Amino acid sequence: MDPEKKQVIRSLFFPAIFVFVIWLVKALEVILDTSFAGYGMFPLQWKGLIGIITMPLIHAGWSHLFANSVPLFLLTALLFYSYREIAWQVLILIYLISGLWVWFLGETGSLHIGASGVVYGLAAFLFTSGIIRREIKLMAITLLVAFLYGGMIWGVFPQFFPAERISWEGHLMGMLIGTILAIYFRNLGPQRPRHEWEDEMNDEDDDPFSGYHPDDPAAPKPPEISYHYRDTDTNNQ
């Protein structure tokens, strides 16, 4: 099989499992005629600490589940395809840190469920990382994320959705950690290819006498140059 096709298939494997798990959780709620919301995130309450792990797996209803499933699958697949060297680190850190920050900074007495914090984290990472790295393929992914999910930015402003109960804290924490990780991992993973003219400029920068100044006694001295010439005075001919 073509290596590129193999990479695509590998990139889809875990996202498919992730989405399957959150759908299985909702199916179990229906089958058992119960709700797992009690395992969600309760900020600043000890019982809410388990929500760091379970919050992204629990959804309020089928529409909530479907709204998160599509971007979760697509963005996780893009992460594993484009950043396979650091994909697991990025995903785990977004998952855990966004939940931990919601526990610390969320409104007391509120309940948070859903994978939207992870979705916002992935979108922020892919968008910011593509801009920082300035690599053509990654920039294309940045534009795709901006086109498909650029409207997500409004999800961190609760005043725009007064009638809806959205976890804007989860959205904001996910966006912040995704952006921070894009900056932190900027030197790991795919990089913009270097051009020959850039290497030539760097070679010139390595010139040990490029910073020479005659008034600086500590500066490296250039080698002495001897000049050889002929006397062309016509009077001596």
Side-chain angles (χ1 to χ4, degrees), residues 41-121:
M41 169 64 66
F42 295 91
L44 297 178
Q45 297 184 41
W46 292 115
K47 68 176 182 179
L49 284 174
I50 194 174
I52 296 174
I53 303 297
T54 57
M55 177 179 66
L57 307 178
I58 304 168
H59 292 79
W62 293 106
S63 59
H64 184 207
L65 175 62
F66 182 79
N68 280 339
S69 295
V70 176
L72 183 64
F73 177 81
L74 177 60
L75 296 174
T76 307
L78 288 173
L79 175 69
F80 275 82
Y81 177 77
S82 302
Y83 298 89
R84 50 186 175 273
E85 299 93 341
I86 57 174
W88 280 109
Q89 299 175 65
V90 171
L91 179 61
I92 291 172
L93 288 173
I94 288 174
Y95 194 108
L96 296 178
I97 296 178
S98 63
L100 181 62
W101 286 357
V102 171
W103 188 82
F104 271 112
L105 303 173
E107 182 181 355
T108 304
S110 61
L111 168 64
H112 302 260
I113 56 176
S116 54
V118 177
V119 170
Y120 271 72

